[in-house]
Amino acid sequence: MKTVIIGDSHVNALREAAGRLSKSDMEAVGRSLNIGSLGTGSLALVPFCRAHKGRVFFSDGRYNRAFTNLTGGSHFQADVEYGVLFGFHSLPVVTDDTWRTSAPWRVAKKHGLSPVSSAVIDEMVRDNNQHIYELYEYLISFRVQFFVISAPPIRADHPFFKEVDCKLALAVDHEFRASASTFFRDRGVEVIFPPADVYDKDGFMRDDLARKEPKDFHHGNASYGEIMLRHILKIIARPGSSRPRLEQLETATTEAKERA
């Protein structure tokens, strides 16, 4: 079996980490592995894919070129399993100006802000992810083999959190991920979440796993990528019948919250 991991710029940490894996690491997985970012996630906020004659393509030129260069073909193949990293990058919603005056209803009283229902946040998530979800609906419809890879935890050093309480930001992030998780659960799609040990005591990404570059406040570094990639490979190496489903994989997020 061949596995191809694609997605937004968060994939770069996984790609960099692949160079740290030994030959024996890959032999244990029992499959070939190809990893590459398609480009910035902002391109997925507008229509970027299409389906034609039973095949799924990227209609965005940059995504299409990156996918073709990585895989040697312009469409998803039936004999390949894809790991797709789209759908859990929460920052566009987490940093929305809504949270200057409002908060998710569960924590609104604590922050002295106007409550926003989970249903409203769900609509915000669906609006943000609408074209990403279109890709997944195509993949499901045409029986492409795939699983979804979550984006990393959000980082505490984001400038927005100097203006809005970081605990409030975590609450919004949790709502975002819960909404996206429901989308995939309802369709029986496997999601691989970051393991509990990449979170700090407050529920953010560990600072030592953050990519420290100017104006970068959301990516993980190669060390994060190595932890996450080994986590992914450990799961996908299992026979299909024993691979954990979404409900089991969500326990990593729960464990991290309990540690906070």
Side-chain angles (χ1 to χ4, degrees):
M1 170 66 74
K2 180 178 182 179
T3 296
V4 174
I5 294 178
I6 57 170
D8 61 26
S9 54
H10 287 298
V11 171
N12 285 324
L14 304 178
R15 178 183 55 79
E16 293 167 7
R20 300 184 176 190
L21 300 183
S22 67
K23 183 178 179 180
S24 61
D25 288 330
M26 294 310 304
E27 289 175 347
V29 177
R31 63 178 68 200
S32 64
L33 182 66
N34 206 0
I35 305 174
S37 167
L38 301 181
T40 175
S42 62
L43 300 176
L45 299 178
V46 296
F48 67 94
C49 61
R50 64 187 177 90
H52 180 66
K53 294 184 178 180
R55 294 177 175 177
V56 183
F57 302 80
F58 288 105
S59 54
D60 177 85
R62 283 165 288 189
Y63 279 5
N64 179 267
R65 286 191 295 274
F67 184 82
T68 301
N69 290 337
L70 180 68
T71 66
S74 61
H75 63 274
F76 286 82
Q77 303 286 337
D79 60 347
V80 176
E81 181 178 47
Y82 297 88
V84 188
L85 203 164
F86 281 122
F88 282 91
H89 179 61
S90 64
L91 280 179
V93 172
V94 170
T95 59
D96 190 273
D97 282 341
T98 298
W99 314 118
R100 297 183 186 277
T101 57
S102 305
W105 67 272
R106 291 183 178 86
V107 299
K109 185 175 181 180
K110 176 182 177 181
H111 292 276
L113 299 172
S114 301
V116 177
S117 70
S118 294
V120 169
I121 299 175
D122 186 63
E123 284 302 311
M124 295 174 71
V125 176
R126 287 183 173 275
D127 181 65
N128 182 82
N129 281 359
Q130 60 177 312
H131 303 298
I132 292 171
Y133 288 168
E134 183 177 42
L135 169 65
Y136 289 126
E137 295 286 19
Y138 283 147
L139 297 181
I140 292 168
S141 295
F142 295 108
R143 300 183 181 279
V144 174
Q145 300 179 74
F146 75 97
F147 57 91
V148 174
I149 301 169
S150 171
I154 59 175
R155 287 168 40 179
D157 61 343
H158 196 287
F160 187 75
F161 305 153
K162 295 178 181 178
E163 306 170 38
V164 172
D165 191 318
C166 63
K167 294 292 186 181
L168 170 57
L170 279 176
V172 178
D173 176 70
H174 178 72
E175 292 275 358
F176 185 104
R177 292 172 191 260
S179 175
S181 296
T182 297
F183 173 87
F184 294 112
R185 180 190 297 109
D186 289 348
R187 289 156 181 79
V189 174
E190 180 179 26
V191 178
I192 300 180
F193 294 97
D197 59 354
V198 304
Y199 293 83
D200 69 13
K201 63 181 180 61
D202 296 315
F204 291 99
M205 181 194 292
R206 279 170 35 198
D207 186 66
D208 63 304
L209 300 180
R211 185 181 297 278
K212 300 295 186 178
E213 294 182 359
K215 298 183 179 180
D216 187 340
F217 302 103
H218 60 281
H219 291 111
N221 59 25
S223 294
Y224 169 83
E226 182 176 3
I227 294 171
M228 187 63 184
L229 183 57
R230 290 183 183 280
H231 179 59
I232 292 167
L233 296 181
K234 182 179 179 181
I235 291 172
I236 67 175
R238 303 173 189 173
S241 60
S242 67
R243 281 167 63 172
R245 306 312 302 167
L246 181 59
E247 292 80 1
Q248 294 169 275
L249 293 162
E250 283 180 319
T251 58
T253 303
T254 301
E255 288 172 8
K257 288 183 67 182
E258 289 174 348
R259 288 169 50 195

